[in-house]
Amino acid sequence: MARLAALDVGTNSTRLLVADVEGGAVVAEHAREMVITRLGKGVDRSGRFDPAALARTLEVLAGYAETCRRLGVERRRLVATSATRDAADRQAFLDGVRDLLGVEAEVLTGQAEAAAAYRGATAGLQGDRPTLVVDIGGGSTELILGDGAAAKAMVSLDIGCVRLFERHLHRDPPAPDEVAALRADVAGHLPRVAEALDPAAAEQVVGVAGTVTTVTAIALGLDAYDPRRIHHQALDPAEIGAVAGKLAAMTVAERAAMPVMAKGREDVIVAGALLLDELVQRFQLRRVIASETDILDGVLLGLAERP
């Protein structure tokens, strides 16, 4: 049995998972943490990291490094995704990771990100039913189709909740023309999906990451964010559309006051929810199962297989 750590530095959030792995499965979880650091702030426009966002992210990683030491982690793996792929000045981030954690950050391609997300999202599902995993991130969105055991086809789209928010939602609450422009932007990217896979071939759809789990928490009417209530809860298109419409009609302050809203997600959640609604409508998805396990879990399991 090995005690391992996986760290995922995304466009919006920076996360840590520490767990014991044996026989290709997690047998004990010791830490699962998330801080919204918004590393991707402004990257879509400038192609460079915002200095304050980079500093925030490295500060959180320093805390995670201490957690790893305290918990006796034997090996660790850190991956970075869309924002780091797009940033011309990524070397400052890579150097900071090496200094803090003693490992080389892996900047995942969209395909590698998709494969890890699929593995993590399906790890706890029963059977080998054809499954579509939808991973809505801050800078990109991945759709991955597999047989339940492994990914078979995938596509990575350069649309995510942070990127879409910064492009289109400038008023508070968003104006109807801004919402329409965001939906049109999403729709313009979706023909690429059909070039890679057929969503209709899936018998079940699993959604991962903060947009999906937060929308699920709101739809359930939870008075506090409870991963146990959210994990494997299914929403239908009407429920998803209702939450997207509700969030789009609220101010940032009103969203921030919602008991299930993670601090720092209150502005971009609208873009994520509208993106999810567009995906559900375009591909006529009958229901979306929320998963609290995702790319972070897939990265950890991949580390366990390394010599």
Side-chain angles (χ1 to χ4, degrees), residues 134-270:
V134 177
D135 182 0
I136 297 176
S140 66
T141 293
E142 283 69 44
L143 286 85
I144 315 104
L145 182 65
D147 58 11
K152 300 299 182 182
M154 57 196 72
V155 61
S156 181
L157 307 173
D158 281 333
I159 45 174
C161 62
V162 174
R163 198 184 296 266
L164 290 170
F165 167 74
E166 291 183 348
R167 284 180 185 175
H168 301 293
L169 305 184
H170 309 300
R171 281 171 278 185
D172 186 25
D177 63 317
E178 294 177 330
V179 171
L182 186 152
R183 287 185 179 274
D185 193 353
V186 174
H189 284 80
L190 296 187
R192 283 196 54 220
V193 174
E195 298 171 6
L197 55 89
D198 178 12
E203 293 181 9
Q204 60 184 354
V205 179
V206 179
V208 300
T211 288
V212 173
T213 58
T214 302
V215 167
T216 302
I218 294 168
L220 292 174
L222 300 183
D223 55 12
Y225 191 94
D226 185 349
R228 295 168 300 179
R229 295 278 305 278
I230 295 165
H231 190 50
H232 290 172
Q233 177 68 44
L235 297 183
D236 63 30
E239 292 171 309
I240 291 168
V243 172
K246 176 180 179 179
L247 290 169
M250 299 171 76
T251 64
V252 171
E254 288 169 337
R255 287 181 232 121
M258 301 177 83
V260 298
M261 192 66 62
K263 182 176 174 55
R265 198 183 300 282
E266 61 272 9
D267 52 356
V268 300
I269 186 61
V270 183

Side-chain angles (χ1 to χ4, degrees), residues 32 56 74 76 85 88 106 109-110 119 121 130 144 149 161-162 171 175 211 223 227 250-251 254 269 287 299 303:
R32 189 183 287 266
R56 275 195 307 272
E74 300 165 38
R76 61 201 74 185
R85 285 197 296 268
E106 300 174 43
T109 65
R119 182 170 188 180
I144 315 104
C161 62
V162 174
R171 281 171 278 185
T211 288
D223 55 12
M250 299 171 76
T251 64
E254 288 169 337
I269 186 61
R287 65 177 198 156
V299 166
L303 175 61

